Amino acid sequence: MIIVTGATGQLGRLVIASLLKTTPAAHIVAAVRDVAKAADLAAQGVQVRRADYDDAASLDAAFVGATKVLLISSNELGQRVPQHRAVIDAAVRAKAGLFVYTSVLRADSSELSLAPEHRETEAAVRASGLTYSLLRNGWYIENYTGGLAGALAHGALAGAAGEGRIAAAARADYADAAAAVLSSKGPVEPVYELAGDTAFTLAELAAELSRQSGKQVPFHNLPQKEYQEMLVGVGLPAPLAELIADSDAAAAKGALDDDGHALSKLIGRPTITLADAVKAAL
Ligand SMILES: NC(=O)c1ccc[n+]([C@@H]2O[C@H](COP(=O)([O-])OP(=O)(O)OC[C@H]3O[C@@H](n4cnc5c(N)ncnc54)[C@H](OP(=O)(O)O)[C@@H]3O)[C@@H](O)[C@H]2O)c1
């Protein structure tokens, strides 16, 4: 049984869809917090089991028969280390043959404020004795394309990443990578640094948006604090605004750049291009 946690999340749904191309549905378990959200997965023959990171008994029940477990990192920032430990412990009890975790690009040295929770989780995975594969995912391109409608409406794209290059890829690219590792018949790497094939600056993103929309949308680089305040001003919750501005500031120093091409090698095709991502968003 291949167990996928967070299977009703945006990445989790794409992982299940990708796995279904190579793996019989009956061999896939969607481990989800709320089974009602997974009715569509059950309809495709996927086994749906309740698995709440805050409820160890639910994890034990969900992991029965686990050969491989994918832990998709939780979105409950600040709670992630105990939640992830609970999942690792349950995978140990279930004697899973492979444990896969979605970490962050260069988690061991990353300056992103998100990185420490991933570092701690990686350490717990290593200490567990499980055979593991750490998928150190770079940025989702959707983190940026999701804001393009707003940029068009305001006539400018704001950010704090300066000239930093961002090797982003689509969620679907990272999902295919997770599915490739989970469905591999042979050995897999303990660590993959995964990122998009082509890095871009936010000025290049703004230029592509301008080209495709026919409207001039310049990039306005702001100091981190000002960008954070701007995000709060447009209605983002303060912690999220802080996180996004922090990520941009780290990106300015290269934290989200990578030219290893491990992601496209793993999935056997190029990752999404900036032009295609902007086109899809528009
Ligand atoms: N690389 C990037 O750019 C980037 C950007 C954003 C996030 N991330 C990380 O990547 C992860 C996956 O991304 P995503 O876009 O799929 O995020 P998402 O749509 O927010 O999915 C997060 C998943 O975590 C599940 N979850 C949260 N708390 C849980 C709990 N207590 N027990 C069980 N499940 C729980 C959610 O369950 P429900 O479906 O029930 O809500 C959801 O399925 C995120 O959680 C975050 O750690 C990465």
Side-chain angles (χ1 to χ4, degrees):
M1 285 292 171
I2 297 178
I3 316 270
V4 178
T5 74
T8 44
Q10 297 167 91
L11 182 66
R13 285 188 173 281
L14 292 169
V15 172
I16 299 272
S18 187
L19 273 176
L20 281 169
K21 293 177 192 159
T22 59
T23 308
H27 295 180
I28 302 171
V29 173
V32 301
R33 177 163 52 171
D34 178 358
V35 295
K37 282 196 207 164
D40 57 319
L41 299 176
Q44 294 174 74
V46 171
Q47 291 198 39
V48 175
R49 299 180 185 169
R50 184 177 163 271
D52 189 326
Y53 303 149
D54 299 319
D55 174 0
S58 76
L59 296 172
D60 282 337
F63 289 6
V64 168
T67 50
K68 300 179 184 181
V69 173
L70 169 65
L71 167 57
I72 292 187
S73 53
S74 169
N75 56 7
E76 298 187 295
L77 302 185
Q79 300 305 313
R80 299 199 287 182
V81 174
Q83 290 183 332
H84 294 169
R85 277 185 193 283
V87 175
I88 295 162
D89 291 348
V92 170
R93 290 191 294 273
K95 300 186 170 56
L98 178 70
F99 191 86
V100 185
Y101 171 64
T102 61
S103 184
V104 74
L105 191 65
R106 294 187 292 274
D108 45 351
S109 59
S110 175
E111 288 186 24
L112 292 165
S113 69
L114 285 166
E117 284 184 307
H118 289 295
R119 269 197 285 279
E120 276 196 64
T121 303
E122 288 195 356
V125 171
R126 286 199 170 90
S128 69
L130 291 162
T131 300
Y132 63 83
S133 183
L134 304 171
L135 307 178
R136 289 182 170 168
N137 289 348
W139 238 219
Y140 300 156
I141 208 158
E142 291 88 345
N143 296 348
Y144 294 108
T145 55
L148 294 186
L152 263 181
H154 288 101
L157 178 78
E163 292 299 306
R165 302 196 76 77
I166 298 157
R171 269 192 190 84
D173 295 326
Y174 296 110
D176 280 353
V181 167
L182 289 167
S183 59
S184 170
K185 303 269 185 268
V188 293
E189 299 290 331
V191 179
Y192 291 93
E193 302 285 358
L194 300 177
D197 284 330
T198 315
F200 55 87
T201 63
L202 293 188
E204 288 167 358
L205 171 61
E208 184 61 29
L209 175 63
S210 304
R211 190 181 71 77
Q212 290 195 29
S213 68
K215 188 176 165 191
Q216 276 312 306
V217 185
F219 170 54
H220 285 173
N221 192 51
L222 299 172
Q224 180 180 349
K225 196 90 191 135
E226 262 180 57
Y227 181 45
Q228 187 176 326
E229 285 164 7
M230 190 214 87
L231 292 172
V232 171
V234 298
L236 261 68
L240 183 60
E242 187 179 349
L243 183 74
I244 292 172
D246 167 86
S247 302
D248 256 27
K253 294 189 254 171
L256 298 176
D257 196 7
D258 181 79
D259 64 357
H261 299 269
L263 176 51
S264 50
K265 278 181 209 145
L266 187 54
I267 62 182
R269 60 168 176 79
T271 61
I272 196 168
T273 62
L274 179 61
D276 283 348
V278 169
K279 192 172 162 199
L282 288 178

